[in-house]
Amino acid sequence: MPALWEEVMRDEHLIEYLQEIAKDTAFLHGVLMRTKETSNSHEVVSFAQFTLFPTRVPSTVFTQALTVQTHFNLLVDRVSLNPSFLKESLASTIKADDFTARLFNIYKQVQQEGRAQPIVLGLNRLDYMLDQSSDGVTCLKQIEINTIAVGGAGLASPTPDVHRHILKVANLLEERNHILDNNPAEGFARGLAKAWELYGSESAVVMFLVEDLQRNIYDQRFVENELWKKNIPVIRRRFGDLCRTGYLDQNRRLYVDGKEIAIVYFRNGYMPQNYTSEQSWDARLMMERSLAVKCPDISTHLAGTKKVQQELARAGVLERFFPDEPETVAKIRATFTGLYTLDMGEEGDKTVAMALANPDQYVLKPQREGGGNNIYGQEICEVLEKVKNSSERTAYILMDKIQPVPSQNYLVRPGAPVKLNECVWELGVFGVYVRKGENMAFNECVGHLMRTKSSEHADGGVAAGITALDNPLLF
Ligand code: ADP
Ligand code: MG
């Protein structure tokens, strides 16, 4: 870190002053989140937590993550189009995990009936951390592929301006000038707009399927408002609204509250608690059967499961999706860390033994999204001891624990004093693609999401209040 910057970091009075300015600037630019206590209030709001300073990231690593994104878009899409791969990959998981089983059931029904809509829209985010091996070599490693209800594209868009302002006030002008532009909200909206155009009905709307509690609404509003700028109408509805007023006409067009739905954009439906009744499952099936473009459709949702991620890391699997493209395969594979099956049998037994012997080197992951579900350290042993001899273990996968190099930063959080923390960062990269039948009409990397958390926390999540929004400062 440059000397001047270090000096600023140590100047307590200046930090106190900067954090006040930082909070007000976050409000000015819309880096907002509703409070836990008033999750649906249109009047009471706070800022989404962020770092006082940007974080230095090697430019080679940043470029690597951005350049591989369009290949990952293709990979996710090709996985979603491969019923035998999905079936084989998830065969053991759906026996042990009820939620994945229900999703898979919907997938099977849609497959049998034949899909109504050839247009596919993917809005995904790939997450990475910088791993440092024992010999000091650092390497970009993938945490996971997210294909449903991907957050952060909205709030990532105004954060560059917040850091630019803080750095200007701190007189760190060189750093200020190197904060990257970033507007994934606009990129998401371009993908949604393309799919909406291809759907081809002027009066049809984009429906954001949202959660009952909407703390993170501003993240979505950024995308929503970009669509309105393009004169594309957006409505926000919940599962309950679909149960009450949703139906399919004889051509399987989806109507909700009397409006034709061109796109169902899932910002809900990614975890079991989202389905509060059998009716919500019926509603999911109705949407999947419909002519509306689903973002994601059920097969792309399944392509984003942790089990599929683990199967993709097996030797020879990427080659199935990119035959004759060894360079693409190599680029993708370079980002993989060790992923291990817990399927019943010899290979899975080996995984269990490995994890029990060195639990601190691994993360045990169930098929869940949204943060806070992974298992670390000694708890891995407790869980595995319970399930190791039964097929219950196949609900999980095991992954090498990435060991990032910590850096120092101040986390600015509502209701807590700023304090210097030892932090680790995670870089998300946003991918957008639109395909109609055989024709890939859009395939882009549309921006990034830099998040930083105190290294005392194993798991993350901006909405969970652990991770702070950040910006990469390339060097
Ligand atoms: P979710 O889908 O619930 O977000 P993730 O797989 O992204 O689950 O994990 C949540 C968080 O846990 C990540 O943001 C990261 O901070 C941490 N994490 C996940 N996998 C690893 C890993 N292999 N090594 C180190 N940390 C990890
Ligand atoms: Mg996830």
Side-chain angles (χ1 to χ4, degrees):
M1 186 183 290
L4 188 58
W5 188 355
E6 252 173 51
E7 223 171 89
V8 169
M9 296 270 291
R10 280 196 306 266
D11 184 338
E12 272 176 43
H13 290 294
L14 181 57
I15 295 295
E16 193 51 34
Y17 177 62
L18 287 178
Q19 61 99 20
E20 287 174 2
I21 293 200
K23 287 174 188 167
D24 290 341
T25 310
F27 279 107
L28 278 176
H29 290 283
V31 183
L32 302 175
M33 192 168 300
R34 286 177 174 166
T35 69
K36 262 200 200 99
E37 297 72 32
T38 54
S39 296
N40 282 338
S41 168
H42 290 273
E43 298 182 357
V44 180
V45 24
S46 195
F47 58 91
Q49 61 174 330
F50 59 98
T51 58
L52 193 56
F53 297 101
T55 297
R56 283 157 57 81
V57 172
S59 58
T60 45
V61 161
F62 185 78
T63 310
Q64 183 191 356
L66 264 66
T67 5
V68 75
Q69 183 59 43
T70 50
H71 299 310
F72 267 114
N73 289 347
L74 291 178
L75 177 63
V76 169
D77 187 44
R78 287 174 191 179
V79 169
S80 81
L81 285 169
N82 193 323
S84 58
F85 179 76
L86 282 175
K87 200 170 151 221
E88 283 161 32
S89 300
L90 294 169
S92 58
T93 314
I94 59 178
K95 286 193 198 127
D97 185 65
D98 228 26
F99 181 60
T100 314
R102 292 207 76 158
L103 296 175
F104 195 79
N105 234 347
I106 291 178
Y107 170 66
K108 271 197 317 208
Q109 287 182 60
V110 174
Q111 284 285 107
Q112 267 157 20
E113 187 180 25
R115 52 183 301 149
Q117 179 54 262
I119 303 166
V120 170
L121 166 63
L123 301 179
N124 62 39
R125 195 191 71 225
L126 269 80
D127 292 334
Y128 303 90
M129 279 172 135
L130 192 64
D131 190 41
Q132 185 173 41
S133 54
S134 46
D135 52 8
V137 176
T138 56
C139 196
L140 185 77
K141 289 294 173 196
Q142 183 184 92
I143 296 284
E144 62 153 353
I145 300 175
N146 294 292
T147 61
I148 182 164
V150 164
L155 292 184
S157 303
T159 41
D161 280 335
V162 177
H163 273 158
R164 282 183 187 125
H165 187 64
I166 297 168
L167 292 173
K168 183 178 263 182
V169 176
N171 202 28
L172 295 172
L173 301 181
E174 177 67 20
E175 285 77 10
R176 187 214 170 268
N177 292 337
H178 286 95
I179 297 284
L180 301 171
D181 286 333
N182 191 29
N183 198 350
E186 194 271 338
F188 269 25
R190 272 190 291 130
L192 284 154
K194 183 75 197 171
W196 181 82
E197 267 164 41
L198 290 172
Y199 182 88
S201 168
E202 283 275 302
S203 58
V205 304
V206 175
M207 178 179 72
F208 284 37
L209 184 77
V210 298
E211 291 182 66
D212 290 340
L213 293 180
Q214 302 183 44
R215 269 195 82 193
N216 203 14
I217 187 168
Y218 298 100
D219 186 49
Q220 301 165 13
R221 289 286 197 205
F222 274 102
V223 180
E224 194 178 321
N225 286 14
E226 289 292 336
L227 281 168
W228 280 107
K229 280 189 208 165
K230 297 175 193 294
N231 298 317
I232 297 174
V234 178
I235 60 171
R236 300 172 62 83
R237 291 294 183 275
R238 297 174 161 116
F239 268 118
D241 301 311
L242 267 102
C243 299
R244 269 191 305 280
T245 76
Y247 70 90
L248 303 185
D249 74 3
Q250 68 273 28
N251 298 317
R252 289 202 255 164
R253 285 178 194 280
L254 174 63
Y255 288 86
V256 178
D257 283 332
K259 292 186 166 69
E260 184 184 351
I261 308 299
I263 303 176
V264 180
Y265 174 32
F266 285 91
R267 293 298 302 242
N268 190 5
Y270 56 92
M271 57 181 178
Q273 303 88 292
N274 297 150
Y275 299 83
T276 51
S277 63
E278 278 309 303
Q279 284 77 16
S280 349
W281 281 107
D282 294 344
R284 177 78 193 257
L285 177 62
M286 174 175 69
M287 291 185 271
E288 295 299 334
R289 292 185 57 232
S290 80
L291 190 71
V293 177
K294 276 75 62 182
C295 178
D297 59 18
I298 188 74
S299 48
T300 309
H301 184 175
L302 290 171
T305 52
K306 299 194 163 69
K307 182 62 188 171
V308 165
Q309 183 191 2
Q310 174 254 301
E311 287 295 317
L312 287 172
R314 274 186 194 281
V317 172
L318 287 178
E319 283 80 356
R320 276 169 68 181
F321 293 100
F322 295 96
D324 314 318
E325 285 186 64
E327 279 174 26
T328 305
V329 168
K331 275 190 197 149
I332 293 177
R333 186 164 288 141
T335 67
F336 288 173
T337 184
L339 286 144
Y340 313 94
T341 180
L342 281 159
D343 284 0
M344 299 314 282
E346 214 178 296
E347 204 189 347
D349 291 345
K350 237 171 90 184
T351 305
V352 172
M354 223 168 66
L356 290 176
N358 283 307
D360 289 333
Q361 284 179 25
Y362 302 101
V363 183
L364 185 65
K365 295 191 175 186
Q367 310 303 310
R368 291 291 175 273
E369 299 293 333
N373 302 297
N374 296 338
I375 298 162
Y376 302 86
Q378 209 44 44
E379 213 192 321
I380 294 183
C381 301
E382 284 160 31
V383 173
L384 283 183
E385 285 296 348
K386 261 190 233 140
V387 302
K388 69 178 181 189
N389 295 318
S390 83
S391 59
E392 274 178 76
R393 78 185 197 193
T394 64
Y396 300 90
I397 61 149
L398 190 77
M399 184 175 185
D400 281 343
K401 187 164 182 230
I402 294 164
Q403 312 283 357
V405 188
S407 58
Q408 304 247 299
N409 209 331
Y410 290 89
L411 302 184
V412 186
R413 287 176 291 198
V418 285
K419 113 175 192 276
L420 192 60
N421 277 281
E422 190 186 84
C423 295
V424 294
W425 57 263
E426 183 167 346
L427 178 69
V429 180
F430 293 106
V432 176
Y433 60 91
V434 182
R435 176 172 53 76
K436 183 174 184 184
E438 307 261 283
N439 174 38
M440 192 53 92
F442 193 104
N443 180 13
E444 287 185 23
C445 168
V446 298
H448 56 270
L449 170 70
M450 180 76 179
R451 290 177 301 173
T452 290
K453 64 178 182 189
S454 157
S455 45
E456 74 200 77
H457 293 289
D459 233 78
V462 171
I466 290 170
T467 316
L469 297 162
D470 197 351
N471 280 288
L473 201 65
L474 304 187
F475 69 95

